[in-house]
Amino acid sequence: MSRTPFIAGNWKMHLDRAGIATFCEALAAPDYGAEGVRVGVFPPFVYLAQVVEALAGTGIVVGAQNCHPADEGAFTGEVAARMVADVGASHVIVGHSERRHVFGETDADVKARLDAALARGLDVILCVGETIHERQAGRTEEVVFRQLDAGLAGLDGETVATRVTVAYEPVWAIGTGLTATPAQAQDVHAAVRARVAGTCGDDVAARLIIQYGGSVKPDNVSELIGQADVDGALVGGASLQPTSFQALARLGTGVNA
Ligand code: 13P
């Protein structure tokens, strides 16, 4: 089963309007040869419309980093999935570990966001991953499966195969410079795929895109996505410069395809 790799930049709370304009100009120039790979960027909410406009027609995915499940209401500071779709974004990240661990989002919160995003026509990247304590206690699969099962509950297989990307992001590898080894990543990715095969069937599992995230850089991305079940990367720090991000996109070309 061929899967097109998906390299996504999660810009978190970085960059500014001018920097993003320059970044988008670089991305929109058709000279980085990123064929056979899907590329996406996830700017802060306030820049979403700007990026959608700047990258229109490029085929580059633009998405939000989170969304609120309600369509509207008295939720000061929140942004609805409906609004993310309304400005023309196509994707949203749900369940990022910073949302779970810094802002206290539970599996139920993540599920509500995921369902609202799908209902509003947005595709999702569902992040899962264990803390260092959970890994050291031998609980990696238990934690990842709990987050995965909660996120995918009730979805039909076709939706999982075509509109959900899973991002395995071990919390201990995010922003720390500590990358999971390719073998560590492959072990969890294979377990995630087997879990999805168990609930949604082999065909859905074979089509599911599973990204790795956590200190991915141009010099380690090839080895990571060279693993059989690693279908791309969700990148923080190394996605913040056009040259580095474009290198990642180029290196993602055609792997596993
Ligand atoms: P870093 O690439 O900075 O480790 O961040 C990973 C991440 O959290 C992407 O969502």
Side-chain angles (χ1 to χ4, degrees):
M1 167 59 64
S2 74
R3 294 183 292 271
T4 302
F6 184 12
I7 304 287
N10 172 11
W11 290 349
K12 306 192 181 185
M13 201 171 74
H14 294 290
L15 301 173
D16 58 20
R17 187 163 63 159
I20 283 174
T22 308
F23 203 125
C24 289
E25 267 172 45
L27 285 187
D31 65 352
Y32 67 101
E35 282 162 21
V37 62
R38 192 169 206 210
V39 176
V41 290
F42 291 76
F45 283 129
V46 289
Y47 304 121
L48 204 48
Q50 176 192 350
V51 176
V52 166
E53 199 173 314
L55 297 181
T58 62
I60 296 171
V61 164
V62 182
Q65 298 170 15
N66 193 18
C67 64
H68 192 277
D71 270 349
E72 62 180 330
F75 300 107
T76 301
E78 293 294 306
V79 175
R82 174 183 67 80
M83 297 167 176
V84 173
D86 188 39
V87 297
S90 61
H91 283 61
V92 64
I93 296 171
V94 295
H96 192 278
S97 73
E98 286 145 23
R99 298 305 316 175
R100 295 179 189 268
H101 295 290
V102 182
F103 299 101
E105 287 183 15
T106 64
D107 287 334
D109 293 328
V110 174
K111 176 59 171 165
R113 285 156 167 70
L114 184 152
D115 284 346
L118 291 175
R120 282 294 170 183
L122 299 164
D123 292 351
V124 297
I125 297 179
L126 169 64
C127 299
V128 298
E130 81 288 0
T131 64
I132 190 65
H133 300 297
E134 290 163 343
R135 172 164 283 264
Q136 286 167 346
R139 295 181 52 222
T140 297
E141 282 195 8
E142 171 203 324
V143 170
V144 167
F145 288 174
R146 191 200 74 227
Q147 295 169 339
L148 184 71
D149 292 351
L152 300 186
L155 301 185
D156 67 86
E158 203 50 32
T159 299
V160 173
T162 60
R163 299 187 56 203
V164 177
T165 296
V166 172
Y168 169 56
E169 298 205 311
V171 180
W172 48 271
I174 295 177
T176 58
L178 285 175
T179 319
T181 65
Q184 283 174 322
Q186 169 59 22
D187 279 354
V188 179
H189 281 233
V192 165
R193 201 176 303 284
R195 184 77 170 181
V196 172
T199 49
C200 299
D202 289 343
D203 172 66
V204 169
R207 287 190 285 155
L208 179 71
I209 300 295
I210 310 175
Q211 297 173 319
Y212 169 78
S215 298
V216 175
K217 299 178 184 62
D219 63 9
N220 63 20
V221 69
S222 296
E223 213 189 346
L224 285 160
I225 64 178
Q227 303 298 305
D229 290 292
V230 181
D231 311 313
L234 183 55
V235 187
S239 77
L240 295 173
Q241 265 107 37
T243 45
S244 165
F245 186 63
Q246 287 173 322
L248 287 164
R250 253 194 310 271
L251 290 162
T253 304
V255 177
N256 287 348

